[in-house]
Amino acid sequence: MKTRITELLGIEYPILQGGMAWVADGKLAAAVSNGGGLGIIAAMNADAETLRTQIQIARSLTNKPFGVNVMLMSPFTAEVAVLLTEEKVPVVTTGAGSPTPYMPAWLEAGIRVIPVIASVAMAKRVVRAGASAVIAEGGEAGGHVGEITTMALVPQICDAVDVPVIAAGGIADGRQAAAVFMLGAEGLQVGTRFLVAEECGIHQAYKDKVLKAKDIDTLTTGKRLGHPVRALKTPFSRNLLQAEYNADISNEQLEEMGAGSLRRAAVDGDLQEGAFMAGQVAAMVTKEQAAADIIRDIFDGMETCLKGASKWVE
Ligand code: TUI
């Protein structure tokens, strides 16, 4: 398969792995890249040295291209931005804000910048600033999400910008992958399904929770704070949602409640107090597989769908 995304990134399949905080380390990214997709290391809320170690791990495990995701709400964004230019990482994706202040330096270093966006306005802004492509992420996704669904967002972004569009949010199998091509996307990003990849180092309790999830098992908290986050239902996430409706609880207290909750899920497997971020497709994720097999399965399913699509018209 050849799209502007496979050409731009030098990859076999137009499938990116989401840059999930506390999940997407150098080992997972290398496994995805070795499987023919684009693996992505999450810089998340960590400092530059922590990221440098993960980049070195990825480089020791693969010769294929991989990316780094910069979470723009991180207090370490400025130092991480410098490190990326030093390390000459081939691809940088960004999330949870506008990357434009950092883009001139990244572009100068020859890095391809592919921001995750959740609105037409932000897509136009990052393309003006030199983005090579954009990742249009719908609100079905896990983690920090926008309002608009993938189905509604992707064609609007495709109409608004000339760069290739990668769809994200709500994609776990070949049918969904094929569907986003019909919406105009030229690639797709998958997060939730890679949570259960064999090379993914999160706590087994997190994997089991995804494997057992049902369709209605996610909820979003944080709307009152202006950054909605989708996660699987736990006592913690239900309490946080309740607290948001309580006028006696301040925004500072809400932020305090959320702090460290993703770590408690991914590292400790704390089923009571953890934030098990996952998308609405969690229920479709039913078996642990090697990252390369996940990519192959999505791609094969997509190929079948796309080849069969003409049966609907004469
Ligand atoms: O960033 C993500 N997903 C994430 S980040 C994260 S860590 C976190 N934890 C708690 C609270 C907040 C963050 C967990 N999951 N996805 C990419 C994404 N970016 N989705 C939506 C956006 C986005 C939102 C607003 C991109 C740009 C944007 O611009 C706002 C503005 O106008 O500055």
Side-chain angles (χ1 to χ4, degrees):
M1 187 166 189
K2 202 164 143 181
T3 77
R4 281 191 286 172
I5 294 302
T6 57
E7 298 291 291
L8 177 73
L9 302 175
I11 54 179
E12 194 177 347
Y13 305 112
I15 301 174
L16 283 68
Q17 162 245 316
M20 302 166 281
W22 290 105
V23 176
D25 59 8
K27 184 179 173 194
L28 178 63
V32 171
S33 290
N34 283 333
L38 188 80
I40 295 178
I41 299 169
M44 56 179 206
N45 257 322
D47 64 16
E49 283 317 306
T50 306
L51 176 61
R52 193 193 299 275
T53 305
Q54 293 304 321
I55 292 172
Q56 285 164 352
I57 289 171
R59 287 205 166 120
S60 74
L61 296 171
T62 187
N63 295 320
K64 301 262 176 78
F66 62 88
V68 169
N69 173 266
V70 177
M71 206 284 281
L72 293 159
M73 283 166 55
S74 164
F76 298 103
T77 300
E79 65 177 71
V80 160
V82 174
L83 171 87
L84 295 171
T85 60
E86 289 168 6
E87 290 285 337
K88 301 228 182 301
V89 171
V91 184
V92 169
T93 68
T94 65
S98 172
T100 53
Y102 306 101
M103 286 177 63
W106 290 338
L107 296 172
E108 177 72 22
I111 296 171
R112 294 187 202 294
V113 184
I114 310 185
V116 178
I117 50 84
S119 70
V120 165
M122 188 55 77
K124 287 184 171 168
R125 191 164 152 193
V126 298
V127 169
R128 265 201 310 276
S132 299
V134 293
I135 301 170
E137 187 186 271
E140 301 95 319
H144 177 52
V145 287
E147 279 286 336
I148 310 173
T149 60
T150 301
M151 178 77 103
L153 182 68
V154 172
Q156 295 187 59
I157 301 297
C158 291
D159 287 346
V161 298
D162 288 328
V163 298
V165 174
I166 296 157
I171 309 171
D173 76 4
R175 295 168 298 178
Q176 292 158 327
V180 301
F181 276 81
M182 299 296 100
L183 300 178
E186 293 179 55
L188 51 121
Q189 177 170 280
V190 173
T192 302
R193 190 157 171 193
F194 284 117
L195 288 170
V196 303
E198 285 162 11
E199 299 88 346
C200 175
I202 58 172
H203 198 284
Q204 188 61 37
Y206 199 149
K207 296 189 180 189
D208 290 342
K209 199 159 172 62
V210 172
L211 293 167
K212 281 192 234 140
K214 295 195 304 289
D215 53 353
I216 57 167
D217 283 349
T218 73
L219 53 74
T220 52
T221 58
K223 284 199 178 129
R224 198 178 112 187
L225 298 171
H227 48 78
V229 169
R230 182 178 301 285
L232 294 167
K233 291 174 182 171
T234 58
F236 163 77
S237 63
R238 290 176 199 270
N239 285 341
L240 192 56
L241 194 56
Q242 282 290 311
E244 280 185 66
Y245 287 104
N246 184 341
D248 295 333
I249 297 176
S250 69
N251 284 1
E252 289 69 29
Q253 284 172 299
L254 284 178
E255 296 275 11
E256 187 60 31
M257 282 177 78
S261 58
L262 178 57
R263 184 185 197 285
R264 290 196 289 275
V267 180
D268 307 331
D270 185 340
L271 293 166
Q272 296 298 311
E273 295 301 322
F276 294 79
M277 294 184 191
Q280 289 183 330
V281 293
M284 297 173 67
V285 178
T286 54
K287 65 173 182 224
E288 294 178 60
Q289 287 172 293
D293 293 336
I294 292 174
I295 293 169
R296 195 68 230 185
D297 183 72
I298 293 171
F299 183 78
D300 287 348
M302 174 169 75
E303 188 178 30
T304 303
C305 279
L306 292 174
K307 282 183 173 161
S310 61
K311 77 175 180 191
W312 296 109
V313 283
E314 287 190 80

